[in-house]
Amino acid sequence: MAAALLANALYSTGFVLEKRALGSLPEVTVRQPFRLLRLVLGSPLWIGGSLALAAGFAAQLAVYRTLPIAAAQGIFVSGLVLLVLLSARLLGEETTGRERYALGAILTALLMVVLSLDEASDTVSRSAPHALVLTVCVPSLALGVWLYASAERRARHRHRLPTTGVDYGVAVGLLYGVSSLAIKGVSSHLTTSAPVEALLALLRSPYPYLLLFTGAFGLVMSQAALQRSRASLIVPVCTTVTSLFTAVLGTLSFGEALPDDPLRLALRVAGTALAVTVLLSMPKHDAPRPAPQPPVGAKELTPP
């Protein structure tokens, strides 16, 4: 539990620092990944944010060794509250009333998932069939990249309203969902006994290669999306998609059984359905900014 709360704080701090650093950089794009990397690696503030995210990754490894996947996701999503507070304080971002209600509904949904857990019957799985993991992950990666490319094409049309970043958040969330499953797989290979054999077994698994792919693509895609959208919206959407993906498909892939008790099963299914419904109903575009009004008492100048 302590490791999960620490991961929350590190992830929230890391995203906010990266967003603040990106605000002072020239526009970045996924079509120029090496330029993007050169720009962000030249920013000490961005490097600080990325180090915080890396420390959050290390804490997440410890969480997956001790908590069921669904329980871990419920705790991770509770960090959205800290993220919104930091975004308002350090970035000056304001959420709309509709977005605040949506965040509250998402937290309620994931609280339902946590309440569906039973310490006596829930188990922490250590392995999953590699073929099943690839069957889940490869189509999800393809869908995430396609959604991101579609959002990029729509964003290039200047006549469209400014995007809130929901599409970007869903796309990056799918990549991070795959990354989360890979982290779970890597954690199952961490052992102090027979470390050489454990390392060889890890290299024969798909997990390190999934981490490399999602790490490279997720870095470029998330930075461009963060620069264009509010962190207080895109990160909660990304986190919710990641958590739902990991809780549902990770539970099935790693064989962590669903609750036998009808009430607990209903809580888990209803919580998942509520979170998905909220995501689908969130606004896709920001409202246009009102035109500036002339100062009161100003006289209109007319040619003679």
Side-chain angles (χ1 to χ4, degrees), residues 87-153:
S87 297
R89 181 70 175 176
L90 300 179
L91 303 176
E93 296 182 351
E94 295 183 4
T95 55
T96 66
R98 183 177 177 182
E99 291 166 357
R100 286 191 290 271
Y101 285 128
L103 287 175
I106 287 172
L107 290 175
T108 300
L110 288 154
L111 176 62
M112 294 167 68
V113 173
V114 173
L115 291 175
S116 72
L117 299 168
D118 186 358
E119 186 177 357
S121 60
D122 287 334
T123 58
V124 180
S125 177
R126 299 297 184 193
S127 63
H130 293 169
L132 179 58
V133 170
L134 290 174
T135 300
V136 168
C137 291
V138 172
S140 302
L141 290 174
L143 178 59
V145 173
W146 178 80
L147 284 174
Y148 194 96
S150 299
E152 284 281 276
R153 285 194 298 270

Side-chain angles (χ1 to χ4, degrees), residues 144-169:
V145 173
W146 178 80
L147 284 174
Y148 194 96
S150 299
E152 284 281 276
R153 285 194 298 270
R154 289 192 296 271
R156 286 199 292 269
H157 292 284
R158 296 187 177 182
H159 65 278
R160 290 183 178 270
L161 291 172
T163 180
T164 59
V166 171
D167 293 341
Y168 288 124

Side-chain angles (χ1 to χ4, degrees), residues 7-235:
N8 278 349
L10 290 169
Y11 279 137
S12 297
T13 302
F15 277 122
V16 169
L17 290 177
E18 285 188 349
K19 170 67 175 177
R20 192 176 179 89
L22 288 165
S24 60
L25 295 178
E27 183 178 2
V28 297
T29 173
V30 294
R31 296 188 298 276
Q32 296 176 315
F34 295 108
R35 176 178 176 272
L36 183 152
L37 291 175
R38 178 175 57 81
L39 288 172
V40 297
L41 290 176
S43 169
L45 187 60
W46 186 91
I47 292 175
S50 63
L51 290 176
L53 292 177
F57 166 81
Q60 194 174 355
L61 284 173
V63 173
Y64 280 144
R65 290 188 61 83
T66 53
L67 285 178
I69 291 175
Q73 300 314 305
I75 298 171
F76 288 146
V77 172
S78 66
L80 294 179
V81 176
L82 177 60
L83 184 280
V84 171
L85 292 175
L86 288 175
S87 297
R89 181 70 175 176
L90 300 179
L91 303 176
E93 296 182 351
E94 295 183 4
T95 55
T96 66
R98 183 177 177 182
E99 291 166 357
R100 286 191 290 271
Y101 285 128
L103 287 175
I106 287 172
L107 290 175
T108 300
L110 288 154
L111 176 62
M112 294 167 68
V113 173
V114 173
L115 291 175
S116 72
L117 299 168
D118 186 358
E119 186 177 357
S121 60
D122 287 334
T123 58
V124 180
S125 177
R126 299 297 184 193
S127 63
H130 293 169
L132 179 58
V133 170
L134 290 174
T135 300
V136 168
C137 291
V138 172
S140 302
L141 290 174
L143 178 59
V145 173
W146 178 80
L147 284 174
Y148 194 96
S150 299
E152 284 281 276
R153 285 194 298 270
R154 289 192 296 271
R156 286 199 292 269
H157 292 284
R158 296 187 177 182
H159 65 278
R160 290 183 178 270
L161 291 172
T163 180
T164 59
V166 171
D167 293 341
Y168 288 124
V170 172
V172 177
L174 286 173
L175 261 72
Y176 284 167
V178 172
S179 178
S180 190
L181 290 188
I183 293 172
K184 169 69 175 177
V186 169
S187 71
S188 66
H189 288 81
L190 297 179
T191 178
T192 55
S193 61
V196 175
E197 290 80 356
L199 177 60
L200 292 176
L202 176 61
L203 293 176
R204 289 193 296 267
S205 74
Y207 303 123
Y209 312 106
L210 288 173
L211 274 179
L212 285 174
F213 182 90
T214 55
F217 278 78
L219 171 64
V220 175
M221 290 165 59
S222 64
Q223 298 312 302
L226 263 179
Q227 191 180 60
R228 295 187 180 96
S229 310
R230 285 180 286 127
S232 56
L233 184 65
I234 189 174
V235 176

